[in-house]
Each structure stands twice: as C-alpha cells, then as structure tokens.
Amino acid sequence: MKSVPKFGVNETVQFIGLKSLSPEEQEVLYRLSLEYLGKVRRSVQNPISSFVVHIKKYNTAGKRKKFSLHVRCIVASKEIFESCNSHDWDLPRALHKSFEDLRQQIAHKLRTDVTRPKTYG
C-alpha cells in the first residue's frame, strides 16, 4: 500500500504482487500508476475509495517475462470499474493498456465523453 497525498486528502493505492518485481520495475509501476490515478480521479466526479493494482509475472525461468495486470477502482458512489484484460511482455505497455481500458470503462459508464453534443428533435 502506498499513500498518495494530494490536496490534503490521502488516497491509498494498493499494489498486489510487488515482491515478484525488481526495484526498477517497481519504480515504473509506481510512476505510471500515480500518473494514471490523477487522470482517473479527474474523470470520476466522486472521490475514489479504493484503487487496487494487481500484477502477476509469468515465465520467470526464461529470458522474457510476461506481465498480467488487473486494475480495480471503487468510487464512493459504489461504482466499480475493473480492467482485467491486459497482459504483455513489456511492463510499461501492459500498464498503459490496463489504465486506458479502465478510463474507457469510466467514460462509457459515466458518460464523461462530451465530444458529440446531444441533439433533441
């Protein structure tokens, strides 16, 4: 768990599976997670009550490692958003896929996309 102070409010980001990552991979995970936490916070109107990043590492015996990520965001209005379909051989790419999928789900469910105006007629 890592506490993120922002504007006087401490939000907690829970990371599951950190022990299997190297320190460099942990730093990438922290940096990108906190960056996307700000983006998710802006797209959701209510405060975030829980933000969980679950990471698994596969094929640790070979030369390449495969990463699988599950990201879950619970908003104070009891909305649950979960991204569980991102996996890749490259950790930053897997993180970007997972968080962008989460942002798309939020935009779809909360209708935060205002690019097309509503027409009545």
Side-chain angles (χ1 to χ4, degrees), residues 1-15 29-38 41 48 51:
M1 291 182 133
K2 188 163 184 149
S3 181
V4 182
K6 186 73 171 183
F7 303 117
V9 177
N10 284 336
E11 293 179 342
T12 303
V13 180
Q14 183 179 7
F15 295 97
L29 179 66
Y30 285 144
R31 183 175 46 83
L32 289 176
S33 298
L34 296 182
E35 175 185 328
Y36 275 100
L37 176 64
R41 186 185 308 119
I48 297 173
F51 197 79

mmCIF file with all atom_site columns, all heavy atoms in Angstrom, residues 1-15 29-38 41 48 51:
data_model
loop_
_atom_site.group_PDB
_atom_site.id
_atom_site.type_symbol
_atom_site.label_atom_id
_atom_site.label_alt_id
_atom_site.label_comp_id
_atom_site.label_asym_id
_atom_site.label_entity_id
_atom_site.label_seq_id
_atom_site.pdbx_PDB_ins_code
_atom_site.Cartn_x
_atom_site.Cartn_y
_atom_site.Cartn_z
_atom_site.occupancy
_atom_site.B_iso_or_equiv
_atom_site.pdbx_formal_charge
_atom_site.auth_seq_id
_atom_site.auth_comp_id
_atom_site.auth_asym_id
_atom_site.auth_atom_id
_atom_site.pdbx_PDB_model_num
ATOM 1   N N   . MET A 1 1  ? 0.839   -1.173 0.000   1.00 0.00 ? 1  MET A N   1
ATOM 2   C CA  . MET A 1 1  ? 0.000   0.000  0.000   1.00 0.00 ? 1  MET A CA  1
ATOM 3   C C   . MET A 1 1  ? 0.882   1.233  0.000   1.00 0.00 ? 1  MET A C   1
ATOM 4   O O   . MET A 1 1  ? 1.880   1.283  0.676   1.00 0.00 ? 1  MET A O   1
ATOM 5   C CB  . MET A 1 1  ? -0.888  0.043  1.231   1.00 0.00 ? 1  MET A CB  1
ATOM 6   C CG  . MET A 1 1  ? -1.950  -0.983 1.269   1.00 0.00 ? 1  MET A CG  1
ATOM 7   S SD  . MET A 1 1  ? -2.929  -0.743 2.731   1.00 0.00 ? 1  MET A SD  1
ATOM 8   C CE  . MET A 1 1  ? -4.521  -0.857 2.031   1.00 0.00 ? 1  MET A CE  1
ATOM 9   N N   . LYS A 1 2  ? 0.463   2.196  -0.774  1.00 0.00 ? 2  LYS A N   1
ATOM 10  C CA  . LYS A 1 2  ? 1.199   3.440  -0.840  1.00 0.00 ? 2  LYS A CA  1
ATOM 11  C C   . LYS A 1 2  ? 0.209   4.577  -0.711  1.00 0.00 ? 2  LYS A C   1
ATOM 12  O O   . LYS A 1 2  ? -0.787  4.615  -1.411  1.00 0.00 ? 2  LYS A O   1
ATOM 13  C CB  . LYS A 1 2  ? 1.960   3.527  -2.155  1.00 0.00 ? 2  LYS A CB  1
ATOM 14  C CG  . LYS A 1 2  ? 2.886   4.687  -2.219  1.00 0.00 ? 2  LYS A CG  1
ATOM 15  C CD  . LYS A 1 2  ? 3.878   4.513  -3.319  1.00 0.00 ? 2  LYS A CD  1
ATOM 16  C CE  . LYS A 1 2  ? 4.849   5.674  -3.263  1.00 0.00 ? 2  LYS A CE  1
ATOM 17  N NZ  . LYS A 1 2  ? 6.142   5.341  -3.695  1.00 0.00 ? 2  LYS A NZ  1
ATOM 18  N N   . SER A 1 3  ? 0.464   5.480  0.211   1.00 0.00 ? 3  SER A N   1
ATOM 19  C CA  . SER A 1 3  ? -0.422  6.608  0.438   1.00 0.00 ? 3  SER A CA  1
ATOM 20  C C   . SER A 1 3  ? 0.022   7.757  -0.450  1.00 0.00 ? 3  SER A C   1
ATOM 21  O O   . SER A 1 3  ? 1.203   8.080  -0.524  1.00 0.00 ? 3  SER A O   1
ATOM 22  C CB  . SER A 1 3  ? -0.380  7.028  1.900   1.00 0.00 ? 3  SER A CB  1
ATOM 23  O OG  . SER A 1 3  ? -1.252  8.086  2.120   1.00 0.00 ? 3  SER A OG  1
ATOM 24  N N   . VAL A 1 4  ? -0.949  8.383  -1.117  1.00 0.00 ? 4  VAL A N   1
ATOM 25  C CA  . VAL A 1 4  ? -0.656  9.457  -2.047  1.00 0.00 ? 4  VAL A CA  1
ATOM 26  C C   . VAL A 1 4  ? -1.284  10.741 -1.507  1.00 0.00 ? 4  VAL A C   1
ATOM 27  O O   . VAL A 1 4  ? -2.497  10.883 -1.533  1.00 0.00 ? 4  VAL A O   1
ATOM 28  C CB  . VAL A 1 4  ? -1.231  9.144  -3.443  1.00 0.00 ? 4  VAL A CB  1
ATOM 29  C CG1 . VAL A 1 4  ? -0.878  10.244 -4.411  1.00 0.00 ? 4  VAL A CG1 1
ATOM 30  C CG2 . VAL A 1 4  ? -0.728  7.814  -3.938  1.00 0.00 ? 4  VAL A CG2 1
ATOM 31  N N   . PRO A 1 5  ? -0.480  11.684 -0.985  1.00 0.00 ? 5  PRO A N   1
ATOM 32  C CA  . PRO A 1 5  ? -1.069  12.935 -0.511  1.00 0.00 ? 5  PRO A CA  1
ATOM 33  C C   . PRO A 1 5  ? -1.369  13.847 -1.696  1.00 0.00 ? 5  PRO A C   1
ATOM 34  O O   . PRO A 1 5  ? -0.519  14.096 -2.536  1.00 0.00 ? 5  PRO A O   1
ATOM 35  C CB  . PRO A 1 5  ? 0.011   13.533 0.387   1.00 0.00 ? 5  PRO A CB  1
ATOM 36  C CG  . PRO A 1 5  ? 1.276   12.954 -0.116  1.00 0.00 ? 5  PRO A CG  1
ATOM 37  C CD  . PRO A 1 5  ? 0.934   11.607 -0.704  1.00 0.00 ? 5  PRO A CD  1
ATOM 38  N N   . LYS A 1 6  ? -2.599  14.314 -1.786  1.00 0.00 ? 6  LYS A N   1
ATOM 39  C CA  . LYS A 1 6  ? -2.974  15.200 -2.882  1.00 0.00 ? 6  LYS A CA  1
ATOM 40  C C   . LYS A 1 6  ? -4.041  16.150 -2.377  1.00 0.00 ? 6  LYS A C   1
ATOM 41  O O   . LYS A 1 6  ? -5.136  15.723 -2.022  1.00 0.00 ? 6  LYS A O   1
ATOM 42  C CB  . LYS A 1 6  ? -3.483  14.377 -4.063  1.00 0.00 ? 6  LYS A CB  1
ATOM 43  C CG  . LYS A 1 6  ? -3.773  15.166 -5.302  1.00 0.00 ? 6  LYS A CG  1
ATOM 44  C CD  . LYS A 1 6  ? -2.500  15.598 -5.951  1.00 0.00 ? 6  LYS A CD  1
ATOM 45  C CE  . LYS A 1 6  ? -2.827  16.199 -7.309  1.00 0.00 ? 6  LYS A CE  1
ATOM 46  N NZ  . LYS A 1 6  ? -1.661  16.569 -8.015  1.00 0.00 ? 6  LYS A NZ  1
ATOM 47  N N   . PHE A 1 7  ? -3.745  17.434 -2.318  1.00 0.00 ? 7  PHE A N   1
ATOM 48  C CA  . PHE A 1 7  ? -4.683  18.468 -1.916  1.00 0.00 ? 7  PHE A CA  1
ATOM 49  C C   . PHE A 1 7  ? -5.286  18.194 -0.548  1.00 0.00 ? 7  PHE A C   1
ATOM 50  O O   . PHE A 1 7  ? -6.480  18.364 -0.338  1.00 0.00 ? 7  PHE A O   1
ATOM 51  C CB  . PHE A 1 7  ? -5.790  18.636 -2.956  1.00 0.00 ? 7  PHE A CB  1
ATOM 52  C CG  . PHE A 1 7  ? -5.278  18.941 -4.319  1.00 0.00 ? 7  PHE A CG  1
ATOM 53  C CD1 . PHE A 1 7  ? -5.493  18.071 -5.354  1.00 0.00 ? 7  PHE A CD1 1
ATOM 54  C CD2 . PHE A 1 7  ? -4.556  20.097 -4.557  1.00 0.00 ? 7  PHE A CD2 1
ATOM 55  C CE1 . PHE A 1 7  ? -5.014  18.346 -6.611  1.00 0.00 ? 7  PHE A CE1 1
ATOM 56  C CE2 . PHE A 1 7  ? -4.068  20.382 -5.818  1.00 0.00 ? 7  PHE A CE2 1
ATOM 57  C CZ  . PHE A 1 7  ? -4.299  19.508 -6.843  1.00 0.00 ? 7  PHE A CZ  1
ATOM 58  N N   . GLY A 1 8  ? -4.483  17.714 0.396   1.00 0.00 ? 8  GLY A N   1
ATOM 59  C CA  . GLY A 1 8  ? -4.947  17.494 1.752   1.00 0.00 ? 8  GLY A CA  1
ATOM 60  C C   . GLY A 1 8  ? -5.696  16.193 1.960   1.00 0.00 ? 8  GLY A C   1
ATOM 61  O O   . GLY A 1 8  ? -6.115  15.888 3.052   1.00 0.00 ? 8  GLY A O   1
ATOM 62  N N   . VAL A 1 9  ? -5.881  15.396 0.905   1.00 0.00 ? 9  VAL A N   1
ATOM 63  C CA  . VAL A 1 9  ? -6.598  14.128 1.026   1.00 0.00 ? 9  VAL A CA  1
ATOM 64  C C   . VAL A 1 9  ? -5.616  13.005 0.744   1.00 0.00 ? 9  VAL A C   1
ATOM 65  O O   . VAL A 1 9  ? -4.938  13.014 -0.274  1.00 0.00 ? 9  VAL A O   1
ATOM 66  C CB  . VAL A 1 9  ? -7.766  14.057 0.012   1.00 0.00 ? 9  VAL A CB  1
ATOM 67  C CG1 . VAL A 1 9  ? -8.455  12.720 0.107   1.00 0.00 ? 9  VAL A CG1 1
ATOM 68  C CG2 . VAL A 1 9  ? -8.741  15.192 0.254   1.00 0.00 ? 9  VAL A CG2 1
ATOM 69  N N   . ASN A 1 10 ? -5.514  12.060 1.637   1.00 0.00 ? 10 ASN A N   1
ATOM 70  C CA  . ASN A 1 10 ? -4.647  10.907 1.421   1.00 0.00 ? 10 ASN A CA  1
ATOM 71  C C   . ASN A 1 10 ? -5.449  9.792  0.788   1.00 0.00 ? 10 ASN A C   1
ATOM 72  O O   . ASN A 1 10 ? -6.407  9.296  1.372   1.00 0.00 ? 10 ASN A O   1
ATOM 73  C CB  . ASN A 1 10 ? -4.032  10.420 2.737   1.00 0.00 ? 10 ASN A CB  1
ATOM 74  C CG  . ASN A 1 10 ? -2.925  11.318 3.205   1.00 0.00 ? 10 ASN A CG  1
ATOM 75  O OD1 . ASN A 1 10 ? -2.319  12.018 2.408   1.00 0.00 ? 10 ASN A OD1 1
ATOM 76  N ND2 . ASN A 1 10 ? -2.649  11.307 4.479   1.00 0.00 ? 10 ASN A ND2 1
ATOM 77  N N   . GLU A 1 11 ? -5.075  9.415  -0.420  1.00 0.00 ? 11 GLU A N   1
ATOM 78  C CA  . GLU A 1 11 ? -5.696  8.285  -1.092  1.00 0.00 ? 11 GLU A CA  1
ATOM 79  C C   . GLU A 1 11 ? -4.710  7.134  -1.042  1.00 0.00 ? 11 GLU A C   1
ATOM 80  O O   . GLU A 1 11 ? -3.506  7.322  -1.155  1.00 0.00 ? 11 GLU A O   1
ATOM 81  C CB  . GLU A 1 11 ? -6.043  8.632  -2.529  1.00 0.00 ? 11 GLU A CB  1
ATOM 82  C CG  . GLU A 1 11 ? -7.132  9.663  -2.639  1.00 0.00 ? 11 GLU A CG  1
ATOM 83  C CD  . GLU A 1 11 ? -7.450  10.003 -4.077  1.00 0.00 ? 11 GLU A CD  1
ATOM 84  O OE1 . GLU A 1 11 ? -6.634  9.709  -4.954  1.00 0.00 ? 11 GLU A OE1 1
ATOM 85  O OE2 . GLU A 1 11 ? -8.516  10.573 -4.304  1.00 0.00 ? 11 GLU A OE2 1
ATOM 86  N N   . THR A 1 12 ? -5.227  5.944  -0.900  1.00 0.00 ? 12 THR A N   1
ATOM 87  C CA  . THR A 1 12 ? -4.376  4.780  -0.785  1.00 0.00 ? 12 THR A CA  1
ATOM 88  C C   . THR A 1 12 ? -4.462  3.958  -2.063  1.00 0.00 ? 12 THR A C   1
ATOM 89  O O   . THR A 1 12 ? -5.549  3.624  -2.522  1.00 0.00 ? 12 THR A O   1
ATOM 90  C CB  . THR A 1 12 ? -4.811  3.916  0.413   1.00 0.00 ? 12 THR A CB  1
ATOM 91  O OG1 . THR A 1 12 ? -4.772  4.716  1.581   1.00 0.00 ? 12 THR A OG1 1
ATOM 92  C CG2 . THR A 1 12 ? -3.890  2.742  0.581   1.00 0.00 ? 12 THR A CG2 1
ATOM 93  N N   . VAL A 1 13 ? -3.303  3.655  -2.613  1.00 0.00 ? 13 VAL A N   1
ATOM 94  C CA  . VAL A 1 13 ? -3.201  2.771  -3.763  1.00 0.00 ? 13 VAL A CA  1
ATOM 95  C C   . VAL A 1 13 ? -2.616  1.468  -3.255  1.00 0.00 ? 13 VAL A C   1
ATOM 96  O O   . VAL A 1 13 ? -1.545  1.454  -2.653  1.00 0.00 ? 13 VAL A O   1
ATOM 97  C CB  . VAL A 1 13 ? -2.297  3.368  -4.857  1.00 0.00 ? 13 VAL A CB  1
ATOM 98  C CG1 . VAL A 1 13 ? -2.204  2.437  -6.038  1.00 0.00 ? 13 VAL A CG1 1
ATOM 99  C CG2 . VAL A 1 13 ? -2.801  4.735  -5.281  1.00 0.00 ? 13 VAL A CG2 1
ATOM 100 N N   . GLN A 1 14 ? -3.334  0.373  -3.476  1.00 0.00 ? 14 GLN A N   1
ATOM 101 C CA  . GLN A 1 14 ? -2.868  -0.924 -3.007  1.00 0.00 ? 14 GLN A CA  1
ATOM 102 C C   . GLN A 1 14 ? -2.246  -1.668 -4.180  1.00 0.00 ? 14 GLN A C   1
ATOM 103 O O   . GLN A 1 14 ? -2.874  -1.834 -5.225  1.00 0.00 ? 14 GLN A O   1
ATOM 104 C CB  . GLN A 1 14 ? -4.026  -1.717 -2.430  1.00 0.00 ? 14 GLN A CB  1
ATOM 105 C CG  . GLN A 1 14 ? -3.612  -3.047 -1.867  1.00 0.00 ? 14 GLN A CG  1
ATOM 106 C CD  . GLN A 1 14 ? -4.788  -3.802 -1.278  1.00 0.00 ? 14 GLN A CD  1
ATOM 107 O OE1 . GLN A 1 14 ? -5.929  -3.394 -1.392  1.00 0.00 ? 14 GLN A OE1 1
ATOM 108 N NE2 . GLN A 1 14 ? -4.494  -4.920 -0.654  1.00 0.00 ? 14 GLN A NE2 1
ATOM 109 N N   . PHE A 1 15 ? -1.008  -2.103 -3.994  1.00 0.00 ? 15 PHE A N   1
ATOM 110 C CA  . PHE A 1 15 ? -0.301  -2.877 -5.010  1.00 0.00 ? 15 PHE A CA  1
ATOM 111 C C   . PHE A 1 15 ? -0.194  -4.314 -4.516  1.00 0.00 ? 15 PHE A C   1
ATOM 112 O O   . PHE A 1 15 ? 0.289   -4.557 -3.417  1.00 0.00 ? 15 PHE A O   1
ATOM 113 C CB  . PHE A 1 15 ? 1.100   -2.318 -5.250  1.00 0.00 ? 15 PHE A CB  1
ATOM 114 C CG  . PHE A 1 15 ? 1.098   -0.936 -5.832  1.00 0.00 ? 15 PHE A CG  1
ATOM 115 C CD1 . PHE A 1 15 ? 1.239   0.162  -5.016  1.00 0.00 ? 15 PHE A CD1 1
ATOM 116 C CD2 . PHE A 1 15 ? 0.952   -0.749 -7.185  1.00 0.00 ? 15 PHE A CD2 1
ATOM 117 C CE1 . PHE A 1 15 ? 1.239   1.443  -5.538  1.00 0.00 ? 15 PHE A CE1 1
ATOM 118 C CE2 . PHE A 1 15 ? 0.953   0.516  -7.728  1.00 0.00 ? 15 PHE A CE2 1
ATOM 119 C CZ  . PHE A 1 15 ? 1.097   1.612  -6.907  1.00 0.00 ? 15 PHE A CZ  1
ATOM 120 N N   . LEU A 1 29 ? 6.177   0.909  -12.133 1.00 0.00 ? 29 LEU A N   1
ATOM 121 C CA  . LEU A 1 29 ? 4.799   0.662  -11.702 1.00 0.00 ? 29 LEU A CA  1
ATOM 122 C C   . LEU A 1 29 ? 4.281   1.815  -10.844 1.00 0.00 ? 29 LEU A C   1
ATOM 123 O O   . LEU A 1 29 ? 3.161   2.297  -11.056 1.00 0.00 ? 29 LEU A O   1
ATOM 124 C CB  . LEU A 1 29 ? 4.727   -0.652 -10.922 1.00 0.00 ? 29 LEU A CB  1
ATOM 125 C CG  . LEU A 1 29 ? 3.361   -1.046 -10.381 1.00 0.00 ? 29 LEU A CG  1
ATOM 126 C CD1 . LEU A 1 29 ? 2.412   -1.349 -11.521 1.00 0.00 ? 29 LEU A CD1 1
ATOM 127 C CD2 . LEU A 1 29 ? 3.483   -2.239 -9.473  1.00 0.00 ? 29 LEU A CD2 1
ATOM 128 N N   . TYR A 1 30 ? 5.077   2.290  -9.890  1.00 0.00 ? 30 TYR A N   1
ATOM 129 C CA  . TYR A 1 30 ? 4.673   3.414  -9.037  1.00 0.00 ? 30 TYR A CA  1
ATOM 130 C C   . TYR A 1 30 ? 4.425   4.669  -9.873  1.00 0.00 ? 30 TYR A C   1
ATOM 131 O O   . TYR A 1 30 ? 3.407   5.339  -9.728  1.00 0.00 ? 30 TYR A O   1
ATOM 132 C CB  . TYR A 1 30 ? 5.738   3.735  -7.982  1.00 0.00 ? 30 TYR A CB  1
ATOM 133 C CG  . TYR A 1 30 ? 5.818   2.769  -6.839  1.00 0.00 ? 30 TYR A CG  1
ATOM 134 C CD1 . TYR A 1 30 ? 7.033   2.448  -6.267  1.00 0.00 ? 30 TYR A CD1 1
ATOM 135 C CD2 . TYR A 1 30 ? 4.681   2.188  -6.299  1.00 0.00 ? 30 TYR A CD2 1
ATOM 136 C CE1 . TYR A 1 30 ? 7.122   1.570  -5.203  1.00 0.00 ? 30 TYR A CE1 1
ATOM 137 C CE2 . TYR A 1 30 ? 4.756   1.311  -5.231  1.00 0.00 ? 30 TYR A CE2 1
ATOM 138 C CZ  . TYR A 1 30 ? 5.980   1.006  -4.699  1.00 0.00 ? 30 TYR A CZ  1
ATOM 139 O OH  . TYR A 1 30 ? 6.072   0.142  -3.651  1.00 0.00 ? 30 TYR A OH  1
ATOM 140 N N   . ARG A 1 31 ? 5.383   4.981  -10.749 1.00 0.00 ? 31 ARG A N   1
ATOM 141 C CA  . ARG A 1 31 ? 5.314   6.225  -11.514 1.00 0.00 ? 31 ARG A CA  1
ATOM 142 C C   . ARG A 1 31 ? 4.087   6.259  -12.416 1.00 0.00 ? 31 ARG A C   1
ATOM 143 O O   . ARG A 1 31 ? 3.311   7.223  -12.402 1.00 0.00 ? 31 ARG A O   1
ATOM 144 C CB  . ARG A 1 31 ? 6.585   6.390  -12.346 1.00 0.00 ? 31 ARG A CB  1
ATOM 145 C CG  . ARG A 1 31 ? 6.654   7.685  -13.125 1.00 0.00 ? 31 ARG A CG  1
ATOM 146 C CD  . ARG A 1 31 ? 7.987   7.857  -13.830 1.00 0.00 ? 31 ARG A CD  1
ATOM 147 N NE  . ARG A 1 31 ? 8.452   6.682  -14.528 1.00 0.00 ? 31 ARG A NE  1
ATOM 148 C CZ  . ARG A 1 31 ? 8.061   6.327  -15.765 1.00 0.00 ? 31 ARG A CZ  1
ATOM 149 N NH1 . ARG A 1 31 ? 7.198   7.047  -16.406 1.00 0.00 ? 31 ARG A NH1 1
ATOM 150 N NH2 . ARG A 1 31 ? 8.556   5.242  -16.338 1.00 0.00 ? 31 ARG A NH2 1
ATOM 151 N N   . LEU A 1 32 ? 3.857   5.195  -13.181 1.00 0.00 ? 32 LEU A N   1
ATOM 152 C CA  . LEU A 1 32 ? 2.724   5.165  -14.102 1.00 0.00 ? 32 LEU A CA  1
ATOM 153 C C   . LEU A 1 32 ? 1.394   5.046  -13.372 1.00 0.00 ? 32 LEU A C   1
ATOM 154 O O   . LEU A 1 32 ? 0.391   5.632  -13.802 1.00 0.00 ? 32 LEU A O   1
ATOM 155 C CB  . LEU A 1 32 ? 2.884   4.027  -15.109 1.00 0.00 ? 32 LEU A CB  1
ATOM 156 C CG  . LEU A 1 32 ? 3.991   4.243  -16.140 1.00 0.00 ? 32 LEU A CG  1
ATOM 157 C CD1 . LEU A 1 32 ? 4.138   3.019  -17.022 1.00 0.00 ? 32 LEU A CD1 1
ATOM 158 C CD2 . LEU A 1 32 ? 3.702   5.461  -16.984 1.00 0.00 ? 32 LEU A CD2 1
ATOM 159 N N   . SER A 1 33 ? 1.371   4.332  -12.262 1.00 0.00 ? 33 SER A N   1
ATOM 160 C CA  . SER A 1 33 ? 0.127   4.197  -11.505 1.00 0.00 ? 33 SER A CA  1
ATOM 161 C C   . SER A 1 33 ? -0.316  5.531  -10.929 1.00 0.00 ? 33 SER A C   1
ATOM 162 O O   . SER A 1 33 ? -1.501  5.871  -10.978 1.00 0.00 ? 33 SER A O   1
ATOM 163 C CB  . SER A 1 33 ? 0.283   3.177  -10.382 1.00 0.00 ? 33 SER A CB  1
ATOM 164 O OG  . SER A 1 33 ? 0.564   1.912  -10.904 1.00 0.00 ? 33 SER A OG  1
ATOM 165 N N   . LEU A 1 34 ? 0.623   6.286  -10.380 1.00 0.00 ? 34 LEU A N   1
ATOM 166 C CA  . LEU A 1 34 ? 0.265   7.577  -9.799  1.00 0.00 ? 34 LEU A CA  1
ATOM 167 C C   . LEU A 1 34 ? -0.123  8.583  -10.884 1.00 0.00 ? 34 LEU A C   1
ATOM 168 O O   . LEU A 1 34 ? -1.002  9.423  -10.678 1.00 0.00 ? 34 LEU A O   1
ATOM 169 C CB  . LEU A 1 34 ? 1.412   8.109  -8.949  1.00 0.00 ? 34 LEU A CB  1
ATOM 170 C CG  . LEU A 1 34 ? 1.755   7.259  -7.734  1.00 0.00 ? 34 LEU A CG  1
ATOM 171 C CD1 . LEU A 1 34 ? 2.875   7.897  -6.937  1.00 0.00 ? 34 LEU A CD1 1
ATOM 172 C CD2 . LEU A 1 34 ? 0.545   7.026  -6.865  1.00 0.00 ? 34 LEU A CD2 1
ATOM 173 N N   . GLU A 1 35 ? 0.508   8.473  -12.045 1.00 0.00 ? 35 GLU A N   1
ATOM 174 C CA  . GLU A 1 35 ? 0.142   9.343  -13.160 1.00 0.00 ? 35 GLU A CA  1
ATOM 175 C C   . GLU A 1 35 ? -1.299  9.078  -13.604 1.00 0.00 ? 35 GLU A C   1
ATOM 176 O O   . GLU A 1 35 ? -2.093  10.005 -13.784 1.00 0.00 ? 35 GLU A O   1
ATOM 177 C CB  . GLU A 1 35 ? 1.099   9.110  -14.327 1.00 0.00 ? 35 GLU A CB  1
ATOM 178 C CG  . GLU A 1 35 ? 0.757   9.871  -15.582 1.00 0.00 ? 35 GLU A CG  1
ATOM 179 C CD  . GLU A 1 35 ? 1.685   9.478  -16.724 1.00 0.00 ? 35 GLU A CD  1
ATOM 180 O OE1 . GLU A 1 35 ? 2.856   9.153  -16.465 1.00 0.00 ? 35 GLU A OE1 1
ATOM 181 O OE2 . GLU A 1 35 ? 1.215   9.492  -17.872 1.00 0.00 ? 35 GLU A OE2 1
ATOM 182 N N   . TYR A 1 36 ? -1.641  7.807  -13.756 1.00 0.00 ? 36 TYR A N   1
ATOM 183 C CA  . TYR A 1 36 ? -2.991  7.462  -14.192 1.00 0.00 ? 36 TYR A CA  1
ATOM 184 C C   . TYR A 1 36 ? -4.019  7.633  -13.077 1.00 0.00 ? 36 TYR A C   1
ATOM 185 O O   . TYR A 1 36 ? -5.197  7.830  -13.374 1.00 0.00 ? 36 TYR A O   1
ATOM 186 C CB  . TYR A 1 36 ? -3.034  6.038  -14.743 1.00 0.00 ? 36 TYR A CB  1
ATOM 187 C CG  . TYR A 1 36 ? -2.651  5.973  -16.195 1.00 0.00 ? 36 TYR A CG  1
ATOM 188 C CD1 . TYR A 1 36 ? -1.388  5.581  -16.586 1.00 0.00 ? 36 TYR A CD1 1
ATOM 189 C CD2 . TYR A 1 36 ? -3.569  6.318  -17.175 1.00 0.00 ? 36 TYR A CD2 1
ATOM 190 C CE1 . TYR A 1 36 ? -1.030  5.523  -17.915 1.00 0.00 ? 36 TYR A CE1 1
ATOM 191 C CE2 . TYR A 1 36 ? -3.223  6.264  -18.509 1.00 0.00 ? 36 TYR A CE2 1
ATOM 192 C CZ  . TYR A 1 36 ? -1.955  5.868  -18.873 1.00 0.00 ? 36 TYR A CZ  1
ATOM 193 O OH  . TYR A 1 36 ? -1.616  5.821  -20.200 1.00 0.00 ? 36 TYR A OH  1
ATOM 194 N N   . LEU A 1 37 ? -3.593  7.569  -11.834 1.00 0.00 ? 37 LEU A N   1
ATOM 195 C CA  . LEU A 1 37 ? -4.528  7.822  -10.734 1.00 0.00 ? 37 LEU A CA  1
ATOM 196 C C   . LEU A 1 37 ? -5.074  9.237  -10.818 1.00 0.00 ? 37 LEU A C   1
ATOM 197 O O   . LEU A 1 37 ? -6.274  9.471  -10.616 1.00 0.00 ? 37 LEU A O   1
ATOM 198 C CB  . LEU A 1 37 ? -3.852  7.594  -9.378  1.00 0.00 ? 37 LEU A CB  1
ATOM 199 C CG  . LEU A 1 37 ? -4.696  7.908  -8.144  1.00 0.00 ? 37 LEU A CG  1
ATOM 200 C CD1 . LEU A 1 37 ? -5.909  6.987  -8.067  1.00 0.00 ? 37 LEU A CD1 1
ATOM 201 C CD2 . LEU A 1 37 ? -3.859  7.791  -6.894  1.00 0.00 ? 37 LEU A CD2 1
ATOM 202 N N   . GLY A 1 38 ? -4.224  10.195 -11.154 1.00 0.00 ? 38 GLY A N   1
ATOM 203 C CA  . GLY A 1 38 ? -4.676  11.571 -11.326 1.00 0.00 ? 38 GLY A CA  1
ATOM 204 C C   . GLY A 1 38 ? -5.665  11.697 -12.473 1.00 0.00 ? 38 GLY A C   1
ATOM 205 O O   . GLY A 1 38 ? -6.659  12.421 -12.387 1.00 0.00 ? 38 GLY A O   1
ATOM 206 N N   . ARG A 1 41 ? -8.947  10.123 -11.367 1.00 0.00 ? 41 ARG A N   1
ATOM 207 C CA  . ARG A 1 41 ? -9.592  10.978 -10.375 1.00 0.00 ? 41 ARG A CA  1
ATOM 208 C C   . ARG A 1 41 ? -10.322 12.133 -11.062 1.00 0.00 ? 41 ARG A C   1
ATOM 209 O O   . ARG A 1 41 ? -11.412 12.522 -10.649 1.00 0.00 ? 41 ARG A O   1
ATOM 210 C CB  . ARG A 1 41 ? -8.553  11.527 -9.403  1.00 0.00 ? 41 ARG A CB  1
ATOM 211 C CG  . ARG A 1 41 ? -9.173  12.305 -8.267  1.00 0.00 ? 41 ARG A CG  1
ATOM 212 C CD  . ARG A 1 41 ? -8.158  12.969 -7.346  1.00 0.00 ? 41 ARG A CD  1
ATOM 213 N NE  . ARG A 1 41 ? -7.145  12.078 -6.842  1.00 0.00 ? 41 ARG A NE  1
ATOM 214 C CZ  . ARG A 1 41 ? -5.843  12.233 -7.069  1.00 0.00 ? 41 ARG A CZ  1
ATOM 215 N NH1 . ARG A 1 41 ? -5.405  13.231 -7.793  1.00 0.00 ? 41 ARG A NH1 1
ATOM 216 N NH2 . ARG A 1 41 ? -4.970  11.399 -6.570  1.00 0.00 ? 41 ARG A NH2 1
ATOM 217 N N   . ILE A 1 48 ? -12.446 8.618  -4.908  1.00 0.00 ? 48 ILE A N   1
ATOM 218 C CA  . ILE A 1 48 ? -12.104 7.205  -5.070  1.00 0.00 ? 48 ILE A CA  1
ATOM 219 C C   . ILE A 1 48 ? -11.904 6.606  -3.689  1.00 0.00 ? 48 ILE A C   1
ATOM 220 O O   . ILE A 1 48 ? -11.100 7.108  -2.895  1.00 0.00 ? 48 ILE A O   1
ATOM 221 C CB  . ILE A 1 48 ? -10.831 7.051  -5.921  1.00 0.00 ? 48 ILE A CB  1
ATOM 222 C CG1 . ILE A 1 48 ? -11.074 7.591  -7.322  1.00 0.00 ? 48 ILE A CG1 1
ATOM 223 C CG2 . ILE A 1 48 ? -10.370 5.614  -5.957  1.00 0.00 ? 48 ILE A CG2 1
ATOM 224 C CD1 . ILE A 1 48 ? -9.834  7.639  -8.177  1.00 0.00 ? 48 ILE A CD1 1
ATOM 225 N N   . PHE A 1 51 ? -8.350  1.863  -4.778  1.00 0.00 ? 51 PHE A N   1
ATOM 226 C CA  . PHE A 1 51 ? -7.655  1.751  -6.057  1.00 0.00 ? 51 PHE A CA  1
ATOM 227 C C   . PHE A 1 51 ? -6.634  0.633  -5.901  1.00 0.00 ? 51 PHE A C   1
ATOM 228 O O   . PHE A 1 51 ? -5.697  0.764  -5.125  1.00 0.00 ? 51 PHE A O   1
ATOM 229 C CB  . PHE A 1 51 ? -6.973  3.076  -6.409  1.00 0.00 ? 51 PHE A CB  1
ATOM 230 C CG  . PHE A 1 51 ? -6.575  3.188  -7.851  1.00 0.00 ? 51 PHE A CG  1
ATOM 231 C CD1 . PHE A 1 51 ? -7.510  3.501  -8.816  1.00 0.00 ? 51 PHE A CD1 1
ATOM 232 C CD2 . PHE A 1 51 ? -5.268  2.982  -8.235  1.00 0.00 ? 51 PHE A CD2 1
ATOM 233 C CE1 . PHE A 1 51 ? -7.145  3.624  -10.139 1.00 0.00 ? 51 PHE A CE1 1
ATOM 234 C CE2 . PHE A 1 51 ? -4.891  3.092  -9.552  1.00 0.00 ? 51 PHE A CE2 1
ATOM 235 C CZ  . PHE A 1 51 ? -5.835  3.420  -10.507 1.00 0.00 ? 51 PHE A CZ  1
#
